[in-house]
Amino acid sequence: MANALVLVINSGSSSLKFAVIDSKTGDALLSGLGECFGLPEARMSWKYQGEKTEVEITGDNHHKASVERLVELVNELGFTDDIVAVGHRVVHGGEKFTKSVLIDDDVVKGIESIQDLAPLHNPAHIIGIRAAMEAFPSLPHVAVFDTAFHQTMPAKAYTGAISSKLYKDYGIRRYGFHGTSHYYVSREAARILNKPVEESNFITVHLGNGASVCAVKEGKSVDTSMGFTPLAGLMMGTRCGDLDPSIIEFLLKKGWSQEKIFDELNKNSGFLGVSGLTSDARGILEAMEQGHEGATLAFEVFTYRVAKYIASYMVAVGAPLDAIVFTGGIGENALLIRREVLKNLKVFGYEEDVSGDEAARFGEAGIITKEGSPVAMVVPTNEELIIAQDAISLI
């Protein structure tokens, strides 16, 4: 394949992200986003050769209209003949899908059958998959699951301390997410350290609007912070992370509806809830510098919890650690957050290399701890590349 390009699609409930990826170099030749679906301001924007374009999306079905505009776009830009597959990100594969698969009718039905595990995500993925299969009928379509990398977790890590009947009847267990990101950065970290990944041990820390930590032992996920859904684990942009489940019962007794409670935990918590200001880490850091108490508290809660998870996952790895690996929008760019996490880990000997930490931002990888200190590093993630490579390998 001289030009092995893959169209990568991530369909959300009210959005559709897309990119044309060169599966050999990892370069995104085209990237874009359809957003505000279902609203009058629905629109689609894309970036090509450094220039950004935006158009309105009209009609009754904004997902379908966006995919149809995407077809026109790849034709206009001359990509059509070089795209060999369409790769779809799917958040939840449950126990049914333990690796990437070529999509057929049975796979679509399988994803639909487990949509209760991810009611905010999987139904939207199905909409995007159906629209893309109709728009690109001659191309193979591949589903890549966020949960797949974590299928190597041992039972002691994924089993909840609840009745086994709940697991057998409803599949209630820890699944974990951000799998493509944790997979990619663990491989890149091993390459940077010039060590075979199957002999490497990492704690990978994906920090963005969604955030999770993963213990990677000998190249395999052995534990991760997100759980049955992406709500568990770390504090995030608008999600609460770990929470005493009795709080739900308490709020129900106070007259809150189930919908209101889960809206609160998913959309009004995290950075936004604690700060009372914003869900964006950049806004938190700016407000903190101006003395905003809520922003300062949100910063402290977040960095403390990240450090606690990292410390606990040293137990999960159960072997000498090669590195802590930061990634994601916050993990790659928020210097003050990384610095504070390392301060909280000082008891384990971690010492920041200030110049190295300052250099490892804005797309640059690098080691951010002093020589003689245990290693912490930054590796920019590339989930789209993993989706593209999986698609290529399956066809």
Side-chain angles (χ1 to χ4, degrees):
M1 293 180 187
N3 295 302
L5 304 186
V6 177
L7 174 60
V8 174
I9 292 178
N10 178 4
S11 178
S13 58
S14 61
S15 66
L16 187 140
K17 295 179 183 177
F18 60 88
V20 174
I21 302 292
D22 185 322
S23 64
K24 294 181 179 179
T25 66
D27 293 336
L29 307 182
L30 168 72
S31 61
L33 171 68
E35 57 186 332
C36 300
F37 292 176
L39 300 173
E41 59 267 31
R43 59 189 179 270
M44 179 172 163
S45 61
W46 61 86
K47 189 174 181 181
Y48 175 66
Q49 294 185 343
E51 292 190 10
K52 189 173 181 180
T53 305
E54 184 173 298
V55 297
E56 291 183 356
I57 297 295
T58 58
D60 296 329
N61 187 330
H62 289 157
H63 281 88
K64 186 176 181 181
S66 290
V67 173
E68 288 172 352
R69 184 65 186 91
L70 180 55
V71 173
E72 295 173 6
L73 184 59
V74 297
N75 283 329
E76 291 167 10
L77 299 178
F79 291 131
T80 307
D81 293 339
D82 292 328
I83 293 176
V84 297
V86 183
H88 297 266
R89 180 210 179 199
V90 180
V91 163
H92 217 311
E95 292 183 312
K96 187 180 290 288
F97 298 104
T98 61
K99 58 184 178 181
S100 301
V101 294
L102 280 166
I103 299 174
D104 57 19
D105 288 341
D106 288 339
V107 169
V108 172
K109 290 175 183 175
I111 296 171
E112 286 180 322
S113 73
I114 55 173
Q115 63 185 10
D116 284 352
L117 299 180
L120 298 178
H121 296 90
N122 277 28
H125 296 323
I126 291 294
I127 293 171
I129 288 170
R130 290 192 189 280
M133 292 181 77
E134 184 178 335
F136 299 96
S138 63
L139 291 176
H141 291 250
V142 172
V144 180
F145 300 90
D146 271 15
T147 49
F149 180 53
H150 302 301
Q151 287 295 315
T152 52
M153 285 191 294
K156 66 181 180 182
Y158 70 70
T159 301
I162 54 176
S163 164
S164 59
K165 184 175 174 57
L166 292 176
Y167 169 53
K168 291 172 184 174
D169 291 352
Y170 304 112
I172 298 176
R173 49 158 284 184
R174 182 178 301 277
Y175 289 100
F177 302 89
H178 292 141
T180 50
S181 180
H182 291 297
Y183 174 88
Y184 175 80
V185 300
S186 59
R187 269 70 192 156
E188 275 296 289
R191 184 188 64 77
I192 291 168
L193 297 178
N194 196 28
K195 190 171 182 180
V197 69
E198 63 271 13
E199 298 174 13
S200 302
N201 302 308
F202 300 110
I203 295 173
T204 52
V205 187
H206 180 108
L207 304 179
N209 190 50
S212 64
V213 182
C214 181
V216 182
K217 183 175 183 178
E218 298 172 353
K220 296 179 180 179
S221 170
V222 293
D223 207 344
T224 190
S225 58
M226 283 181 167
F228 181 64
T229 74
L231 185 59
L234 298 176
M235 167 182 163
M236 304 175 222
T238 62
R239 282 173 261 175
C240 62
D242 290 340
L243 186 78
D244 181 345
S246 292
I247 292 170
I248 297 171
E249 180 190 28
F250 176 85
L251 291 174
L252 286 169
K253 289 180 177 178
K254 292 294 181 182
W256 284 46
S257 68
Q258 175 186 312
E259 183 179 6
K260 183 180 178 181
I261 291 171
F262 282 94
D263 265 358
E264 186 73 16
L265 302 184
N266 277 291
K267 300 176 183 178
N268 297 318
S269 298
F271 276 136
L272 176 61
V274 177
S275 71
L277 187 67
T278 178
S279 63
D280 188 88
R282 290 165 295 188
I284 293 291
L285 295 175
E286 289 170 6
M288 187 176 72
E289 288 178 2
Q290 296 166 7
H292 191 283
E293 290 185 7
T296 301
L297 180 60
F299 170 84
E300 291 174 346
V301 173
F302 182 74
T303 51
Y304 174 64
R305 290 189 174 198
V306 171
K308 276 208 306 180
Y309 253 104
I310 291 171
S312 68
Y313 277 16
M314 292 179 184
V315 174
V317 171
L321 195 64
D322 289 292
I324 296 168
V325 185
F326 291 97
T327 194
I330 295 172
E332 294 169 29
N333 301 308
L335 177 65
L336 292 179
I337 286 177
R338 294 199 306 246
R339 178 169 290 158
E340 187 68 17
V341 171
L342 290 177
K343 282 182 182 177
N344 285 331
L345 293 170
K346 197 169 183 179
V347 65
F348 298 103
Y350 287 89
E351 290 189 65
E352 179 195 14
D353 175 352
V354 174
S355 60
D357 205 3
E358 290 174 348
R361 289 186 290 170
F362 315 125
E364 296 297 323
I367 293 173
I368 62 173
T369 44
K370 291 180 179 179
E371 190 172 346
S373 161
V375 176
M377 62 197 304
V378 174
V379 176
T381 193
N382 193 339
E383 296 170 89
E384 290 81 8
L385 176 59
I386 296 303
I387 294 172
Q389 289 178 338
D390 275 14
I392 292 293
S393 69
L394 281 172
I395 66 170

